[in-house]
Amino acid sequence: MDIGVLLPTGTAQWGPADDPRELVAFGRQAERAGFSSLFVNDSLISPRIEALTMLAALAPATETVTLGTAALMPFLRRPIQAAQSLASIDLLSGGRLSVAVGAGFPGRFGRPLYTLSEVPWERRFARLDETVALWRALWDGAASFHGEILRFTEVPPTIRPSRAGGPPIWLGGATPAALARTGRTYDGWLPYPPDPADYASGLRSVRKAAADAGRMAEDITPALFISVRIDDDIDSGRRAMDAYVQATYGMPLGELEKIQAVVTGSADQVLERLRRYAAAGVRRAVARLGALDLRSQRDQLERMTDLIPALLTPADRASASEDA
């Protein structure tokens, strides 16, 4: 398993004196520390730096890390303009972009966003899949697209990404339908199940759907989104994570742990939990750090850095030694 980090782009993760321009330096620090990727999330509900703007700022400021979304909500943007923005970021980063997408959820994190975007809630999954198909067609040079929902004729030439076919596109979600769609058409899977056993069973379903569609298991990156807080004092660590969850979701930690992957505790306890996910099949993890200001975020980043060598495979460790 390799480890990436979710940048704290939301104002709920900033202290009163924090400067959001520090986020670029935060990303560079993570890259130097050995994190494999920098991810950002996407929303109109809570105030945050817009996802693609943040990635565009990181593209020339970093060199090797993957830049990703966890997860981008395509319905918030015009589909052709989004294809242009994503291709531009892929070019500016030298082909380092990965795009995890989602359709939103019922309740305050879903339907209101569709209203604000003037997009119908109905058939949202079909709209998501067609948007991804449109992006891929445009990145391959298509001049028109005719789906059930999205139809465009005489599309002028758009900018092409760094890589043929464009950046890999992952799907977030773990419903049976999402697992089947991931296996059939997506390049990666980015869920957040609380139990590693559920991850393992979901991954089996993804791979079966892939095989049924004539695809290879290795065509799909098995990834994980997980919230992490490392503290020597376990009780104070849980209190800090609870404050983070309350500020982010407006719910107690105990409720979030029922629906999302969350791990708190000592470094050894966090490492053991991550190893359980690795045994379940995870090869890329995106860690959201549970801290409510940039200084505390950097402290958690340093604590996570110490875990990276223990999660690398022998081949990865050998490669890292050669690079050093």
Side-chain angles (χ1 to χ4, degrees), residues 271-299:
L271 179 61
E272 188 277 333
R273 184 71 178 279
L274 290 174
R275 281 175 166 161
R276 287 181 60 199
Y277 277 107
V282 175
R283 292 299 171 262
R284 289 193 173 186
V286 179
R288 177 171 59 181
L289 307 177
L292 289 176
D293 60 74
L294 294 184
R295 180 191 61 79
S296 300
Q297 285 274 338
R298 285 191 290 269
D299 175 69

PDB file of all heavy atoms in Angstrom, residues 271-299:
ATOM      1  N   LEU A 271      -1.203   1.842  12.236  1.00  0.00           N
ATOM      2  CA  LEU A 271      -0.489   0.993  11.283  1.00  0.00           C
ATOM      3  C   LEU A 271      -1.147  -0.372  11.167  1.00  0.00           C
ATOM      4  O   LEU A 271      -1.323  -0.906  10.056  1.00  0.00           O
ATOM      5  CB  LEU A 271       0.971   0.845  11.719  1.00  0.00           C
ATOM      6  CG  LEU A 271       1.852  -0.044  10.845  1.00  0.00           C
ATOM      7  CD1 LEU A 271       1.927   0.495   9.422  1.00  0.00           C
ATOM      8  CD2 LEU A 271       3.255  -0.147  11.447  1.00  0.00           C
ATOM      9  N   GLU A 272      -1.549  -0.944  12.301  1.00  0.00           N
ATOM     10  CA  GLU A 272      -2.189  -2.260  12.268  1.00  0.00           C
ATOM     11  C   GLU A 272      -3.478  -2.221  11.480  1.00  0.00           C
ATOM     12  O   GLU A 272      -3.780  -3.133  10.697  1.00  0.00           O
ATOM     13  CB  GLU A 272      -2.452  -2.723  13.704  1.00  0.00           C
ATOM     14  CG  GLU A 272      -2.935  -4.172  13.818  1.00  0.00           C
ATOM     15  CD  GLU A 272      -4.442  -4.329  13.597  1.00  0.00           C
ATOM     16  OE1 GLU A 272      -5.184  -3.362  13.863  1.00  0.00           O
ATOM     17  OE2 GLU A 272      -4.882  -5.412  13.140  1.00  0.00           O
ATOM     18  N   ARG A 273      -4.264  -1.137  11.636  1.00  0.00           N
ATOM     19  CA  ARG A 273      -5.532  -1.028  10.902  1.00  0.00           C
ATOM     20  C   ARG A 273      -5.273  -0.855   9.403  1.00  0.00           C
ATOM     21  O   ARG A 273      -5.961  -1.463   8.574  1.00  0.00           O
ATOM     22  CB  ARG A 273      -6.321   0.157  11.439  1.00  0.00           C
ATOM     23  CG  ARG A 273      -7.705   0.320  10.813  1.00  0.00           C
ATOM     24  CD  ARG A 273      -8.677  -0.774  11.266  1.00  0.00           C
ATOM     25  NE  ARG A 273     -10.008  -0.561  10.701  1.00  0.00           N
ATOM     26  CZ  ARG A 273     -10.910   0.276  11.188  1.00  0.00           C
ATOM     27  NH1 ARG A 273     -10.620   1.004  12.262  1.00  0.00           N
ATOM     28  NH2 ARG A 273     -12.092   0.389  10.622  1.00  0.00           N
ATOM     29  N   LEU A 274      -4.289  -0.055   9.050  1.00  0.00           N
ATOM     30  CA  LEU A 274      -3.971   0.119   7.637  1.00  0.00           C
ATOM     31  C   LEU A 274      -3.490  -1.192   7.022  1.00  0.00           C
ATOM     32  O   LEU A 274      -3.809  -1.500   5.868  1.00  0.00           O
ATOM     33  CB  LEU A 274      -2.912   1.209   7.472  1.00  0.00           C
ATOM     34  CG  LEU A 274      -3.371   2.643   7.776  1.00  0.00           C
ATOM     35  CD1 LEU A 274      -2.194   3.607   7.731  1.00  0.00           C
ATOM     36  CD2 LEU A 274      -4.456   3.092   6.798  1.00  0.00           C
ATOM     37  N   ARG A 275      -2.740  -1.971   7.782  1.00  0.00           N
ATOM     38  CA  ARG A 275      -2.286  -3.269   7.276  1.00  0.00           C
ATOM     39  C   ARG A 275      -3.463  -4.214   7.048  1.00  0.00           C
ATOM     40  O   ARG A 275      -3.438  -5.036   6.116  1.00  0.00           O
ATOM     41  CB  ARG A 275      -1.284  -3.885   8.247  1.00  0.00           C
ATOM     42  CG  ARG A 275       0.119  -3.286   8.123  1.00  0.00           C
ATOM     43  CD  ARG A 275       1.050  -3.821   9.180  1.00  0.00           C
ATOM     44  NE  ARG A 275       2.443  -3.506   8.866  1.00  0.00           N
ATOM     45  CZ  ARG A 275       3.426  -3.519   9.760  1.00  0.00           C
ATOM     46  NH1 ARG A 275       3.158  -3.839  11.027  1.00  0.00           N
ATOM     47  NH2 ARG A 275       4.656  -3.238   9.401  1.00  0.00           N
ATOM     48  N   ARG A 276      -4.510  -4.103   7.851  1.00  0.00           N
ATOM     49  CA  ARG A 276      -5.702  -4.925   7.630  1.00  0.00           C
ATOM     50  C   ARG A 276      -6.362  -4.551   6.299  1.00  0.00           C
ATOM     51  O   ARG A 276      -6.821  -5.430   5.561  1.00  0.00           O
ATOM     52  CB  ARG A 276      -6.682  -4.747   8.782  1.00  0.00           C
ATOM     53  CG  ARG A 276      -6.262  -5.419  10.085  1.00  0.00           C
ATOM     54  CD  ARG A 276      -7.320  -5.198  11.154  1.00  0.00           C
ATOM     55  NE  ARG A 276      -8.614  -5.749  10.760  1.00  0.00           N
ATOM     56  CZ  ARG A 276      -9.783  -5.399  11.306  1.00  0.00           C
ATOM     57  NH1 ARG A 276      -9.809  -4.468  12.253  1.00  0.00           N
ATOM     58  NH2 ARG A 276     -10.902  -5.958  10.887  1.00  0.00           N
ATOM     59  N   TYR A 277      -6.394  -3.277   5.996  1.00  0.00           N
ATOM     60  CA  TYR A 277      -6.943  -2.866   4.700  1.00  0.00           C
ATOM     61  C   TYR A 277      -6.032  -3.317   3.560  1.00  0.00           C
ATOM     62  O   TYR A 277      -6.521  -3.719   2.492  1.00  0.00           O
ATOM     63  CB  TYR A 277      -7.138  -1.351   4.662  1.00  0.00           C
ATOM     64  CG  TYR A 277      -8.425  -0.885   5.298  1.00  0.00           C
ATOM     65  CD1 TYR A 277      -8.426  -0.251   6.531  1.00  0.00           C
ATOM     66  CD2 TYR A 277      -9.650  -1.082   4.664  1.00  0.00           C
ATOM     67  CE1 TYR A 277      -9.609   0.178   7.123  1.00  0.00           C
ATOM     68  CE2 TYR A 277     -10.829  -0.664   5.243  1.00  0.00           C
ATOM     69  CZ  TYR A 277     -10.811  -0.033   6.473  1.00  0.00           C
ATOM     70  OH  TYR A 277     -11.984   0.388   7.052  1.00  0.00           O
ATOM     71  N   ALA A 278      -4.719  -3.257   3.781  1.00  0.00           N
ATOM     72  CA  ALA A 278      -3.796  -3.733   2.747  1.00  0.00           C
ATOM     73  C   ALA A 278      -4.028  -5.218   2.483  1.00  0.00           C
ATOM     74  O   ALA A 278      -4.037  -5.669   1.327  1.00  0.00           O
ATOM     75  CB  ALA A 278      -2.352  -3.476   3.167  1.00  0.00           C
ATOM     76  N   ALA A 279      -4.257  -5.995   3.554  1.00  0.00           N
ATOM     77  CA  ALA A 279      -4.526  -7.425   3.393  1.00  0.00           C
ATOM     78  C   ALA A 279      -5.847  -7.655   2.667  1.00  0.00           C
ATOM     79  O   ALA A 279      -6.026  -8.680   1.994  1.00  0.00           O
ATOM     80  CB  ALA A 279      -4.547  -8.105   4.760  1.00  0.00           C
ATOM     81  N   ALA A 280      -6.769  -6.699   2.783  1.00  0.00           N
ATOM     82  CA  ALA A 280      -8.062  -6.803   2.099  1.00  0.00           C
ATOM     83  C   ALA A 280      -7.967  -6.429   0.628  1.00  0.00           C
ATOM     84  O   ALA A 280      -8.940  -6.608  -0.111  1.00  0.00           O
ATOM     85  CB  ALA A 280      -9.093  -5.919   2.790  1.00  0.00           C
ATOM     86  N   GLY A 281      -6.807  -5.900   0.210  1.00  0.00           N
ATOM     87  CA  GLY A 281      -6.607  -5.608  -1.204  1.00  0.00           C
ATOM     88  C   GLY A 281      -6.308  -4.171  -1.549  1.00  0.00           C
ATOM     89  O   GLY A 281      -6.043  -3.859  -2.713  1.00  0.00           O
ATOM     90  N   VAL A 282      -6.315  -3.269  -0.569  1.00  0.00           N
ATOM     91  CA  VAL A 282      -6.038  -1.855  -0.848  1.00  0.00           C
ATOM     92  C   VAL A 282      -4.588  -1.686  -1.291  1.00  0.00           C
ATOM     93  O   VAL A 282      -3.670  -2.217  -0.662  1.00  0.00           O
ATOM     94  CB  VAL A 282      -6.299  -0.984   0.401  1.00  0.00           C
ATOM     95  CG1 VAL A 282      -5.885   0.462   0.137  1.00  0.00           C
ATOM     96  CG2 VAL A 282      -7.753  -1.050   0.803  1.00  0.00           C
ATOM     97  N   ARG A 283      -4.391  -0.942  -2.369  1.00  0.00           N
ATOM     98  CA  ARG A 283      -3.035  -0.649  -2.824  1.00  0.00           C
ATOM     99  C   ARG A 283      -2.714   0.842  -2.777  1.00  0.00           C
ATOM    100  O   ARG A 283      -1.560   1.227  -2.798  1.00  0.00           O
ATOM    101  CB  ARG A 283      -2.833  -1.188  -4.244  1.00  0.00           C
ATOM    102  CG  ARG A 283      -2.833  -2.706  -4.298  1.00  0.00           C
ATOM    103  CD  ARG A 283      -1.710  -3.293  -3.461  1.00  0.00           C
ATOM    104  NE  ARG A 283      -1.798  -4.746  -3.312  1.00  0.00           N
ATOM    105  CZ  ARG A 283      -2.308  -5.355  -2.261  1.00  0.00           C
ATOM    106  NH1 ARG A 283      -2.807  -4.656  -1.243  1.00  0.00           N
ATOM    107  NH2 ARG A 283      -2.345  -6.671  -2.189  1.00  0.00           N
ATOM    108  N   ARG A 284      -3.750   1.682  -2.719  1.00  0.00           N
ATOM    109  CA  ARG A 284      -3.539   3.118  -2.553  1.00  0.00           C
ATOM    110  C   ARG A 284      -4.523   3.625  -1.507  1.00  0.00           C
ATOM    111  O   ARG A 284      -5.718   3.359  -1.602  1.00  0.00           O
ATOM    112  CB  ARG A 284      -3.751   3.881  -3.856  1.00  0.00           C
ATOM    113  CG  ARG A 284      -2.668   3.648  -4.882  1.00  0.00           C
ATOM    114  CD  ARG A 284      -2.768   4.672  -5.996  1.00  0.00           C
ATOM    115  NE  ARG A 284      -1.652   4.564  -6.910  1.00  0.00           N
ATOM    116  CZ  ARG A 284      -1.426   5.396  -7.911  1.00  0.00           C
ATOM    117  NH1 ARG A 284      -2.247   6.416  -8.118  1.00  0.00           N
ATOM    118  NH2 ARG A 284      -0.392   5.241  -8.703  1.00  0.00           N
ATOM    119  N   ALA A 285      -4.010   4.342  -0.512  1.00  0.00           N
ATOM    120  CA  ALA A 285      -4.871   4.929   0.508  1.00  0.00           C
ATOM    121  C   ALA A 285      -4.745   6.441   0.453  1.00  0.00           C
ATOM    122  O   ALA A 285      -3.650   6.977   0.260  1.00  0.00           O
ATOM    123  CB  ALA A 285      -4.484   4.417   1.892  1.00  0.00           C
ATOM    124  N   VAL A 286      -5.873   7.117   0.612  1.00  0.00           N
ATOM    125  CA  VAL A 286      -5.906   8.571   0.713  1.00  0.00           C
ATOM    126  C   VAL A 286      -6.301   8.895   2.139  1.00  0.00           C
ATOM    127  O   VAL A 286      -7.424   8.600   2.564  1.00  0.00           O
ATOM    128  CB  VAL A 286      -6.913   9.182  -0.273  1.00  0.00           C
ATOM    129  CG1 VAL A 286      -6.929  10.702  -0.131  1.00  0.00           C
ATOM    130  CG2 VAL A 286      -6.583   8.770  -1.702  1.00  0.00           C
ATOM    131  N   ALA A 287      -5.379   9.471   2.900  1.00  0.00           N
ATOM    132  CA  ALA A 287      -5.599   9.731   4.316  1.00  0.00           C
ATOM    133  C   ALA A 287      -6.077  11.159   4.529  1.00  0.00           C
ATOM    134  O   ALA A 287      -5.400  12.117   4.139  1.00  0.00           O
ATOM    135  CB  ALA A 287      -4.311   9.489   5.100  1.00  0.00           C
ATOM    136  N   ARG A 288      -7.237  11.295   5.139  1.00  0.00           N
ATOM    137  CA  ARG A 288      -7.719  12.609   5.573  1.00  0.00           C
ATOM    138  C   ARG A 288      -7.285  12.782   7.028  1.00  0.00           C
ATOM    139  O   ARG A 288      -7.619  11.975   7.886  1.00  0.00           O
ATOM    140  CB  ARG A 288      -9.245  12.691   5.449  1.00  0.00           C
ATOM    141  CG  ARG A 288      -9.800  14.009   5.961  1.00  0.00           C
ATOM    142  CD  ARG A 288     -11.258  14.167   5.629  1.00  0.00           C
ATOM    143  NE  ARG A 288     -12.077  13.098   6.197  1.00  0.00           N
ATOM    144  CZ  ARG A 288     -13.403  13.025   6.012  1.00  0.00           C
ATOM    145  NH1 ARG A 288     -14.013  13.912   5.258  1.00  0.00           N
ATOM    146  NH2 ARG A 288     -14.087  12.037   6.555  1.00  0.00           N
ATOM    147  N   LEU A 289      -6.537  13.826   7.298  1.00  0.00           N
ATOM    148  CA  LEU A 289      -5.941  14.028   8.619  1.00  0.00           C
ATOM    149  C   LEU A 289      -6.915  14.783   9.519  1.00  0.00           C
ATOM    150  O   LEU A 289      -7.362  15.875   9.186  1.00  0.00           O
ATOM    151  CB  LEU A 289      -4.632  14.798   8.476  1.00  0.00           C
ATOM    152  CG  LEU A 289      -3.622  14.186   7.485  1.00  0.00           C
ATOM    153  CD1 LEU A 289      -2.388  15.066   7.360  1.00  0.00           C
ATOM    154  CD2 LEU A 289      -3.241  12.770   7.907  1.00  0.00           C
ATOM    155  N   GLY A 290      -7.203  14.225  10.679  1.00  0.00           N
ATOM    156  CA  GLY A 290      -8.191  14.799  11.583  1.00  0.00           C
ATOM    157  C   GLY A 290      -7.605  15.892  12.444  1.00  0.00           C
ATOM    158  O   GLY A 290      -7.227  15.655  13.604  1.00  0.00           O
ATOM    159  N   ALA A 291      -7.523  17.102  11.921  1.00  0.00           N
ATOM    160  CA  ALA A 291      -6.979  18.238  12.670  1.00  0.00           C
ATOM    161  C   ALA A 291      -7.633  19.518  12.163  1.00  0.00           C
ATOM    162  O   ALA A 291      -7.962  19.624  10.977  1.00  0.00           O
ATOM    163  CB  ALA A 291      -5.463  18.311  12.514  1.00  0.00           C
ATOM    164  N   LEU A 292      -7.780  20.493  13.055  1.00  0.00           N
ATOM    165  CA  LEU A 292      -8.581  21.672  12.757  1.00  0.00           C
ATOM    166  C   LEU A 292      -7.790  22.960  12.570  1.00  0.00           C
ATOM    167  O   LEU A 292      -8.354  24.048  12.665  1.00  0.00           O
ATOM    168  CB  LEU A 292      -9.640  21.860  13.850  1.00  0.00           C
ATOM    169  CG  LEU A 292     -10.767  20.830  13.819  1.00  0.00           C
ATOM    170  CD1 LEU A 292     -11.714  21.023  14.996  1.00  0.00           C
ATOM    171  CD2 LEU A 292     -11.539  20.902  12.509  1.00  0.00           C
ATOM    172  N   ASP A 293      -6.501  22.857  12.310  1.00  0.00           N
ATOM    173  CA  ASP A 293      -5.720  24.023  11.881  1.00  0.00           C
ATOM    174  C   ASP A 293      -4.497  23.497  11.146  1.00  0.00           C
ATOM    175  O   ASP A 293      -4.146  22.318  11.266  1.00  0.00           O
ATOM    176  CB  ASP A 293      -5.334  24.935  13.053  1.00  0.00           C
ATOM    177  CG  ASP A 293      -4.490  24.224  14.101  1.00  0.00           C
ATOM    178  OD1 ASP A 293      -3.287  23.983  13.822  1.00  0.00           O
ATOM    179  OD2 ASP A 293      -5.016  23.908  15.171  1.00  0.00           O
ATOM    180  N   LEU A 294      -3.843  24.352  10.374  1.00  0.00           N
ATOM    181  CA  LEU A 294      -2.759  23.878   9.514  1.00  0.00           C
ATOM    182  C   LEU A 294      -1.545  23.427  10.318  1.00  0.00           C
ATOM    183  O   LEU A 294      -0.836  22.502   9.891  1.00  0.00           O
ATOM    184  CB  LEU A 294      -2.382  24.968   8.509  1.00  0.00           C
ATOM    185  CG  LEU A 294      -3.474  25.314   7.489  1.00  0.00           C
ATOM    186  CD1 LEU A 294      -2.961  26.338   6.481  1.00  0.00           C
ATOM    187  CD2 LEU A 294      -3.979  24.066   6.767  1.00  0.00           C
ATOM    188  N   ARG A 295      -1.275  24.037  11.461  1.00  0.00           N
ATOM    189  CA  ARG A 295      -0.155  23.561  12.278  1.00  0.00           C
ATOM    190  C   ARG A 295      -0.416  22.133  12.739  1.00  0.00           C
ATOM    191  O   ARG A 295       0.474  21.265  12.659  1.00  0.00           O
ATOM    192  CB  ARG A 295       0.042  24.485  13.490  1.00  0.00           C
ATOM    193  CG  ARG A 295       1.214  24.053  14.404  1.00  0.00           C
ATOM    194  CD  ARG A 295       1.207  24.811  15.709  1.00  0.00           C
ATOM    195  NE  ARG A 295      -0.020  24.567  16.460  1.00  0.00           N
ATOM    196  CZ  ARG A 295      -0.236  23.467  17.185  1.00  0.00           C
ATOM    197  NH1 ARG A 295       0.673  22.487  17.226  1.00  0.00           N
ATOM    198  NH2 ARG A 295      -1.357  23.340  17.843  1.00  0.00           N
ATOM    199  N   SER A 296      -1.629  21.849  13.213  1.00  0.00           N
ATOM    200  CA  SER A 296      -1.960  20.493  13.648  1.00  0.00           C
ATOM    201  C   SER A 296      -2.006  19.528  12.464  1.00  0.00           C
ATOM    202  O   SER A 296      -1.654  18.357  12.600  1.00  0.00           O
ATOM    203  CB  SER A 296      -3.313  20.496  14.371  1.00  0.00           C
ATOM    204  OG  SER A 296      -3.266  21.326  15.505  1.00  0.00           O
ATOM    205  N   GLN A 297      -2.437  20.015  11.302  1.00  0.00           N
ATOM    206  CA  GLN A 297      -2.393  19.184  10.098  1.00  0.00           C
ATOM    207  C   GLN A 297      -0.955  18.774   9.783  1.00  0.00           C
ATOM    208  O   GLN A 297      -0.689  17.617   9.445  1.00  0.00           O
ATOM    209  CB  GLN A 297      -3.006  19.935   8.916  1.00  0.00           C
ATOM    210  CG  GLN A 297      -4.518  20.037   8.934  1.00  0.00           C
ATOM    211  CD  GLN A 297      -5.196  18.827   8.314  1.00  0.00           C
ATOM    212  OE1 GLN A 297      -4.599  18.103   7.520  1.00  0.00           O
ATOM    213  NE2 GLN A 297      -6.452  18.606   8.670  1.00  0.00           N
ATOM    214  N   ARG A 298      -0.032  19.716   9.892  1.00  0.00           N
ATOM    215  CA  ARG A 298       1.381  19.389   9.618  1.00  0.00           C
ATOM    216  C   ARG A 298       1.925  18.403  10.640  1.00  0.00           C
ATOM    217  O   ARG A 298       2.720  17.511  10.303  1.00  0.00           O
ATOM    218  CB  ARG A 298       2.212  20.663   9.585  1.00  0.00           C
ATOM    219  CG  ARG A 298       2.024  21.491   8.314  1.00  0.00           C
ATOM    220  CD  ARG A 298       3.054  22.601   8.217  1.00  0.00           C
ATOM    221  NE  ARG A 298       2.815  23.631   9.210  1.00  0.00           N
ATOM    222  CZ  ARG A 298       2.067  24.704   9.023  1.00  0.00           C
ATOM    223  NH1 ARG A 298       1.469  24.895   7.863  1.00  0.00           N
ATOM    224  NH2 ARG A 298       1.899  25.594   9.982  1.00  0.00           N
ATOM    225  N   ASP A 299       1.502  18.535  11.897  1.00  0.00           N
ATOM    226  CA  ASP A 299       1.921  17.579  12.916  1.00  0.00           C
ATOM    227  C   ASP A 299       1.423  16.180  12.577  1.00  0.00           C
ATOM    228  O   ASP A 299       2.187  15.196  12.671  1.00  0.00           O
ATOM    229  CB  ASP A 299       1.391  18.007  14.285  1.00  0.00           C
ATOM    230  CG  ASP A 299       1.694  16.977  15.368  1.00  0.00           C
ATOM    231  OD1 ASP A 299       2.878  16.820  15.727  1.00  0.00           O
ATOM    232  OD2 ASP A 299       0.743  16.308  15.845  1.00  0.00           O
TER     233      ASP A 299
END
